Amino acid sequence: DRTVSSERAIYYGKEGKTDLIGSPQIQDASLNITSEKMFLYEQTSAIHADGNVKSEFVKKEGKTPTTFPFASPSNQPVYISAEKMDWDSNKSEAVYTGKAKLWQDKNVITAAKMTINDKEKTLSAYDKVHTIFYNQKEVAAEEDKKEKKKEKKKPAGAASSEAENKLIITPEKGE
């Protein structure tokens, strides 16, 4: 079941459009989207969210559990924030613009624009793209090593450093 809520809603019958004003929210078992304003289009099932857009996608249950927009070994939600979001239901595609940021656990992608296609299971990021990806197996192995070291005698005041395995990609302008 999908729930749509806001403080105020205005329906325009001729246009088949509903304006959601004041804390609009769309929520179901796998997603939660909030923004300052939201516009729903009846004929196309399109959504336009404007102002402080925040999306949360949780792992789907079943034979092939995935976390929108991509499969991940993590059970943690995928979060996306941006200034605007446009959902095209015909394409099963969401376009986030204006300081778009996607993160899950420690993994982060930022860009001026992100396009997520649910049908094709693709994520595209454009303009000022920065990424940080952590190798989950190596992070888990490093955490196991830390636990074993803690079991050994540790001098007072010794600080343990957190190992990071990260890849940072910064494309050249025009790519």
Side-chain angles (χ1 to χ4, degrees), residues 68-69 87 91-94 115-124:
F68 180 90
W87 168 254
K91 293 180 182 178
S92 285
E93 185 173 89
T115 302
I116 300 164
N117 189 296
D118 194 30
K119 270 186 198 169
E120 297 174 11
K121 302 293 183 221
T122 59
L123 167 74
S124 303

Side-chain angles (χ1 to χ4, degrees), residues 7-173:
E7 292 173 15
R8 210 169 108 209
I10 302 171
Y11 177 69
Y12 299 94
K14 286 182 183 180
E15 298 172 27
K17 178 181 147 194
T18 304
D19 293 357
L20 301 175
I21 303 156
S23 305
Q25 179 177 21
I26 297 175
Q27 186 174 22
D28 68 19
S30 65
L31 67 87
N32 183 36
I33 302 170
T34 62
S35 66
E36 292 172 9
K37 295 182 278 186
M38 231 180 263
F39 309 99
L40 311 178
Y41 299 90
E42 200 173 297
Q43 289 204 343
T44 61
S45 297
I47 301 168
H48 173 75
D50 193 5
N52 198 26
V53 178
K54 294 183 190 237
S55 303
E56 175 185 9
F57 299 93
V58 295
K59 197 154 195 129
K60 296 177 185 175
E61 299 299 324
K63 289 183 181 178
T64 55
T66 60
T67 306
F68 180 90
F70 45 78
S72 166
S74 176
N75 288 324
Q76 296 302 310
V78 171
Y79 299 96
I80 307 172
S81 64
E83 292 172 11
K84 295 180 182 186
M85 185 276 299
D86 286 291
W87 168 254
D88 182 331
S89 63
N90 294 326
K91 293 180 182 178
S92 285
E93 185 173 89
V95 178
Y96 290 83
T97 55
K99 299 178 186 172
K101 178 181 178 183
L102 180 146
W103 69 99
Q104 181 183 41
D105 294 322
K106 291 182 176 183
N107 302 313
V108 179
I109 303 170
T110 62
K113 175 183 174 184
M114 277 188 220
T115 302
I116 300 164
N117 189 296
D118 194 30
K119 270 186 198 169
E120 297 174 11
K121 302 293 183 221
T122 59
L123 167 74
S124 303
Y126 306 92
D127 198 17
K128 299 178 186 172
V129 178
H130 298 275
T131 62
I132 300 174
F133 292 115
Y134 290 83
N135 182 321
Q136 296 300 322
K137 288 180 184 176
E138 289 183 20
V139 169
E142 190 62 34
E143 287 174 2
D144 286 344
K145 284 181 189 177
K146 284 183 197 176
E147 287 300 316
K148 287 177 184 175
K149 283 182 182 179
K150 284 181 184 177
E151 292 171 9
K152 293 180 179 179
K153 204 170 202 179
K154 188 175 171 183
S160 62
S161 64
E162 186 175 322
E164 293 182 1
N165 180 15
K166 61 183 173 182
L167 167 68
I168 301 174
I169 302 170
T170 307
E172 296 297 319
K173 208 168 188 141

